[in-house]
Amino acid sequence: MSPDPKKSRANEAPPIGFIGSTRWAWRQLTSMRTALILLLLLALAAIPGSLFPQRSAGVSAVNQYLEDNPNLGRVLDALGMFDVFGSIWFTAIYLLLLISVIGCVVPRLRAHLDSLRSAPPPVPADLSRLADYQQLTTKASAADVVTTAEAWFRKHHWRLATKAAKSGTGLSAEKGYARETGNLLFHASLIVIVVGVAVGALWGYRGQVLVREGTGFSNTLVAYDEFSAGRLFDAKNLPPFGFELEDFEAEFEREGTQKGSPRQFTASALTRSEPGANWQRETLEVNHPLEFSGTKIFLTGHGYAPVLTVTDPAGHVQFSDSVIFLPRDGNFTSIGVVKIPDAPQQVGLEGIFLPSAVVDEERGPISVFPAPDSPALFLVAWQGDLGVDSGEPQNVYQLRTEDMKRLGVTSLLPGDVWSLPQLGHVRFEGVDRFISLQIAHEPGRQLVLVASIAALIGLLFGLFVPRRRIWLKVTNDTQKKTVVEVAGLSRQGYAGLSSEIAEMLGEVRRVK
Amino acid sequence: MTLAQTSLLLVYASLIALAIAMIAFATVYANTRTKVLVGSATKPQSQPVRSRAVNIGYSVSWLALALLGAALVTRGLAVMRAPWGNMYEFALSGAFAGLAAFLVLSLKRNPDWLAVWVVVPVFALVGLAVTVLYTEAGPLVPALNSAWLIVHVSAAIVAFGAFTVAAGASIACLVIEWMRKRASDAPWLATAPTESVLDRFTYRLTAFGFPIWTFAVIAGAIWAENAWGRYWGWDPKETWALISWVAYAAYLHARVTAGWRPNRTMIIGLVGYATLLFNFFGVNILIPGLHSYAGI
């Protein structure tokens, strides 16, 4: 990405042979113009990733989209539109961009190191053609003038080269190398960021666990409802912490137009870093995760878990527990199922739970507020083959009712009992809460953070430090006076250069 | 009258001021009274005298800025937090930042030519805020309740302000150059700034905004890591923040690419600005995602 115009001329040269064409391709790829096009392509390619649901963010939204638009969906899926950031074309663009950056940084780094070691370029033959050209005549000796100018440059940290010749003395001074250092730091940091992201993608993992009040889990693969990990992840590396949810509180706005908006979520939990360690009481809130050896636990959601007790006609308890009902809307209209495979004839209950139940004339029973102000449970009971013995993986939040017989429907308030001759009694004991935890480990995140900060610092230097040169030519004229010629050059059009020249010349003028 | 009502009233007052400023600044392009002074042919005017209309424009703009600032402060006091909780508050803050960036610049430079191109979007932003985006004052949803809100959002807003003025300068430049190409003999063209002046102006503002935008993205990633367990998840908001970043990076590269004229470079900058606007309006309203707490 060098602004050197020579490189853009490379495409005029005819490629010769394999080496020639490789070199030609390399020059094309590392040219500023190509980098520019790749940047624009990257921006363009990211757009569909924000418009279509992405598998990485949640498979269910993608499946819903495919269900709603079967034909278009199939085409989009084939193009990788639901997995944009892992697709071949997106990867190709950023890898090419990465190569382009490397191909730009390496030669520029070499050139920069060379320029840091070598003297500033010699005084041009004709200074008067440069900007800020000035000439002054002084009675002071040439040697004094040179010494004074040198002292000024040294004091202000300019790199300096003095060359004496018969025709006079030439001074070359240069400052602002930090601009190129910053540029290189910025681009190199971008490469490190990509490496850090790759480390996270290969060794990292994330998953979701739903925990009901009064229950817990230990951090093993079986505890997860959803889990995804990088290719090099090893389940042995899961930190063996334990987590038990004691209580969860949620507060919602009760007044005004934002009624129902969440205000405060607090989970109090017992945790231990490994089996056998002491339990510790912790408070988990949004924006305040827990951490165990690099693995972080985040509170990302919550919902209701109605407590049900099912007894058979003989009075034996067949089921007594809280059941996770997944929220369906902002007011926590929630759905869930209970499967009782051990009953003589398998039984399934399908339910809708409403924390603040109202029966709407048009829409039927709905919840009007997220807090459990007037909870109600609507149940449908089924009897028959649950399909749990088939060996097929089952969704615990869904009942397959094709092979089942419907026994009845009811609505229950807390404490109500529903009696069914074929089933026995179903008692709605009350309602607990559950929380959803995001558990994530992203190795490489510190590397990405450090590289991001380095990139930012590099950017500041690369954008705001002006690179500039000042040349001085000191000669003796025929009247034994000293003639001083000065000119400056700054590619970035640095306005402060002329005042720097003026300051330096002020010192020179003062020499007697 | 409650603080929140006072705040809304101040916003309406700023809208009126902005409308007046808009008309006053538009006269730069109408130029009914030409500023070419008789007998000054030998001494070309480097700094043309501002017309009374333009002076009024600046005064009224300062007034609008003060009113918007007061509106934000009273809104913040009404809810006892930084006024950055929903789209209404973001829009007001963005408008404030854009106008402030422009007026601060006007102290040292002469941005008469881009004034109208800044005041129009600022007016539109405030107008949309009170009509479409208005949200009652209220506390934050838990996800936003973090110190990072102030760091992340303030950086994004400041960068947005700088980019707004840069976009104004680009539009001014494209309009002026288009008129010049048409060989228009409109008298105001004679005093209009050259392409390279506006190009440098645009560059400086973009170069100022770009590191701040970079910082906003980094701060957002740190916050996201704290709130959601990952620093980058390709959430639509994040994706569009990156798209804007890449577009402005492309602008900065285009400017040093041999053979790229300022007008093409500026169009890339304007594309970057369009992505910022889409990120604010499009992503918040149209696309569901983790940042969808627009409050409308």
Side-chain angles (χ1 to χ4, degrees):
Chain A
M1 276 178 271
S2 157
D4 189 352
K6 263 184 240 154
K7 285 205 175 156
S8 59
R9 241 183 275 143
N11 51 1
E12 289 164 22
I16 308 157
F18 175 73
I19 294 172
S21 46
T22 310
R23 185 175 296 157
W24 177 84
W26 178 251
R27 282 215 183 136
Q28 287 298 307
L29 186 58
T30 56
S31 79
M32 182 76 103
R33 193 176 306 193
T34 310
L36 188 56
I37 291 166
L38 285 171
L39 274 173
L40 291 173
L41 270 178
L42 185 72
L44 203 64
I47 293 175
S50 74
L51 301 180
F52 300 115
Q54 298 295 298
R55 289 211 168 82
S56 55
V59 181
S60 54
V62 177
N63 291 340
Q64 188 64 46
Y65 190 93
L66 284 169
E67 217 167 273
D68 296 346
N69 316 279
N71 292 325
L72 180 64
R74 223 177 302 130
V75 176
L76 292 174
D77 203 8
L79 292 172
M81 289 297 175
F82 302 121
D83 196 14
V84 166
F85 305 108
S87 70
I88 294 171
W89 41 276
F90 191 80
T91 314
I93 294 170
Y94 78 73
L95 284 183
L96 281 174
L97 198 56
L98 200 65
I99 295 168
S100 167
V101 171
I102 293 170
C104 156
V105 165
V106 172
R108 268 176 82 165
L109 182 65
R110 213 177 291 149
H112 187 49
L113 289 176
D114 281 347
S115 80
L116 279 176
R117 273 185 309 224
S118 55
V123 181
D126 189 1
L127 271 184
S128 63
R129 284 169 63 182
L130 290 167
D132 298 311
Y133 174 75
Q134 287 178 56
Q135 195 181 20
L136 69 93
T137 318
T138 165
K139 281 181 203 157
S141 77
D144 286 350
V145 167
V146 169
T147 322
T148 312
E150 278 179 341
W152 186 89
F153 281 123
R154 291 235 169 77
K155 191 176 150 204
H156 294 91
H157 309 287
W158 289 66
R159 281 173 60 81
L160 190 62
T162 312
K163 205 172 174 187
K166 258 185 227 163
S167 54
T169 308
L171 253 78
S172 316
E174 187 163 15
K175 197 176 175 177
Y177 291 81
R179 183 185 189 88
E180 184 67 357
T181 309
N183 263 328
L184 290 170
L185 177 65
F186 172 73
H187 286 95
S189 301
L190 291 188
I191 301 169
V192 177
I193 289 174
V194 173
V195 170
V197 171
V199 167
L202 287 173
W203 281 280
Y205 63 87
R206 70 175 57 256
Q208 201 184 33
V209 180
L210 305 183
V211 196
R212 290 167 287 145
E213 280 174 322
T215 71
F217 69 96
S218 50
N219 190 31
T220 52
L221 279 185
V222 291
Y224 286 83
D225 287 60
E226 265 179 46
F227 189 83
S228 63
R231 246 166 240 183
L232 301 178
F233 165 78
D234 186 346
K236 274 184 284 188
N237 297 335
L238 283 175
F241 63 83
F243 182 100
E244 275 184 25
L245 180 64
E246 290 190 309
D247 180 51
F248 176 75
E249 304 270 347
E251 282 169 35
F252 300 93
E253 185 66 48
R254 293 205 167 259
E255 302 295 330
T257 48
Q258 293 189 30
K259 189 179 169 189
S261 289
R263 287 296 167 237
Q264 180 73 41
F265 299 144
T266 316
S268 54
L270 293 173
T271 64
R272 58 179 179 184
S273 56
E274 56 192 342
N278 288 331
W279 288 99
Q280 303 210 320
R281 182 160 281 114
E282 305 258 18
T283 306
L284 183 60
E285 284 177 75
V286 180
N287 279 323
H288 297 284
L290 300 177
E291 186 168 347
F292 291 101
S293 46
T295 292
K296 286 189 168 183
I297 306 171
F298 302 86
L299 175 60
T300 53
H302 67 105
Y304 291 98
V307 184
L308 294 173
T309 302
V310 182
T311 43
D312 67 11
H316 299 115
V317 175
Q318 292 187 313
F319 181 90
S320 180
D321 206 350
S322 55
V323 184
I324 289 173
F325 273 48
L326 296 179
R328 273 304 160 102
D329 60 26
N331 285 325
F332 286 81
T333 299
S334 310
I335 60 161
V337 301
V338 183
K339 296 178 187 181
I340 307 168
D342 301 333
Q345 265 199 300
Q346 293 185 342
V347 172
L349 299 170
E350 265 183 329
I352 299 176
F353 173 75
L354 308 169
S356 292
V358 163
V359 178
D360 188 271
E361 277 183 22
E362 283 174 20
R363 293 183 286 171
I366 55 161
S367 176
V368 292
F369 194 72
D373 293 344
S374 51
L377 182 65
F378 294 80
L379 283 180
V380 185
W382 300 83
Q383 198 167 44
D385 183 11
L386 284 168
V388 286
D389 306 322
S390 65
E392 277 177 51
Q394 274 222 330
N395 188 334
V396 291
Y397 303 109
Q398 250 170 19
L399 206 58
R400 285 166 67 175
T401 54
E402 297 103 75
D403 301 327
M404 302 189 86
K405 192 177 78 184
R406 196 163 131 147
L407 298 179
V409 182
T410 191
S411 69
L412 301 168
L413 299 178
D416 283 358
V417 178
W418 181 26
S419 299
L420 279 161
Q422 306 94 320
L423 175 65
H425 307 285
V426 178
R427 187 180 156 87
F428 176 27
E429 309 277 358
V431 61
D432 281 349
R433 306 233 198 195
F434 77 89
I435 56 172
S436 71
L437 297 176
Q438 163 105 282
I439 298 174
H441 177 52
E442 283 192 308
R445 68 196 155 103
Q446 289 95 341
L447 186 66
V448 172
L449 180 63
V450 171
S452 304
I453 293 167
L456 187 57
I457 293 169
L459 192 58
L460 292 172
F461 280 97
L463 283 173
F464 299 121
V465 173
R467 180 95 173 244
R468 66 268 197 202
R469 290 172 187 161
I470 296 178
W471 286 289
L472 241 81
K473 206 152 129 193
V474 186
T475 45
N476 287 316
D477 74 351
T478 45
Q479 272 103 45
K480 292 204 172 167
K481 281 184 180 168
T482 303
V483 178
V484 184
E485 286 176 275
V486 189
L489 179 69
S490 162
R491 224 181 248 167
Q492 291 85 35
Y494 174 51
L497 182 60
S498 34
S499 62
E500 284 179 324
I501 292 175
E503 196 190 322
M504 189 268 298
L505 281 184
E507 293 280 310
V508 170
R509 275 204 191 90
R510 249 170 265 145
V511 185
K512 292 263 165 75
Chain B
M1 193 159 60
T2 66
L3 277 169
Q5 286 168 323
T6 312
S7 171
L8 188 59
L9 213 62
L10 288 164
V11 173
Y12 279 117
S14 79
L15 260 184
I16 296 168
L18 285 167
I20 296 168
M22 219 157 62
I23 297 162
F25 284 136
T27 61
V28 173
Y29 286 84
N31 207 50
T32 45
R33 286 185 293 163
T34 58
K35 293 180 205 113
V36 182
L37 298 177
V38 183
S40 65
T42 47
K43 256 196 251 166
Q45 261 182 288
S46 55
Q47 189 79 17
V49 183
R50 270 179 191 158
S51 71
R52 184 183 290 171
V54 173
N55 279 327
I56 290 173
Y58 279 107
S59 309
V60 179
S61 297
W62 281 107
L63 177 67
L65 185 72
L67 289 167
L68 268 180
L72 281 168
V73 169
T74 45
R75 175 87 178 183
L77 288 174
V79 290
M80 287 315 285
R81 58 171 171 77
W84 298 325
N86 47 55
M87 276 186 83
Y88 169 72
E89 292 166 0
F90 292 139
L92 288 189
S93 307
F96 178 85
L99 194 59
F102 165 73
L103 286 172
V104 168
L105 271 167
S106 76
L107 295 177
K108 282 208 158 178
R109 286 163 204 284
N110 175 19
D112 294 4
W113 293 93
L114 47 113
V116 70
W117 305 114
V118 174
V119 175
V120 166
V122 166
F123 176 82
L125 208 52
V126 178
L128 279 173
V130 282
T131 51
V132 183
L133 307 175
Y134 185 73
T135 314
E136 292 285 337
L140 291 174
V141 295
L144 286 183
N145 202 350
S146 161
W148 283 105
L149 171 75
I150 294 167
V151 179
H152 169 61
V153 177
S154 63
I157 287 171
V158 170
F160 178 79
F163 289 143
T164 301
V165 183
S170 300
I171 293 174
C173 184
L174 293 175
V175 167
I176 290 167
E177 287 307 305
W178 181 66
M179 291 294 285
R180 285 206 175 113
K181 225 167 251 155
R182 287 182 57 208
S184 163
D185 54 358
W188 56 265
L189 265 184
T191 51
T194 62
E195 190 178 45
S196 70
V197 166
L198 286 169
D199 174 50
R200 216 171 316 139
F201 197 85
T202 306
Y203 168 74
R204 292 236 169 99
L205 280 159
T206 310
F208 172 78
F210 187 70
I212 299 175
W213 186 252
T214 310
F215 174 75
V217 172
I218 295 172
I222 296 172
W223 186 10
E225 209 268 335
N226 262 294
W228 301 320
R230 83 288 182 295
Y231 55 83
W232 196 266
W234 297 109
D235 182 65
K237 195 69 145 189
E238 296 168 353
T239 305
W240 279 91
L242 182 73
I243 290 172
S244 301
W245 190 86
V246 168
Y248 278 113
Y251 166 85
L252 293 175
H253 283 93
R255 213 171 160 275
V256 288
T257 301
W260 273 68
R261 300 261 312 115
N263 54 358
R264 270 165 90 192
T265 309
M266 283 179 178
I267 286 169
I268 297 185
L270 285 173
V271 168
Y273 193 67
T275 65
L276 286 182
L277 291 180
F278 183 81
N279 202 355
F280 184 61
F281 290 107
V283 172
N284 277 343
I285 297 169
L286 303 175
I287 308 176
L290 291 170
H291 284 78
S292 298
Y293 24 65
I296 55 165

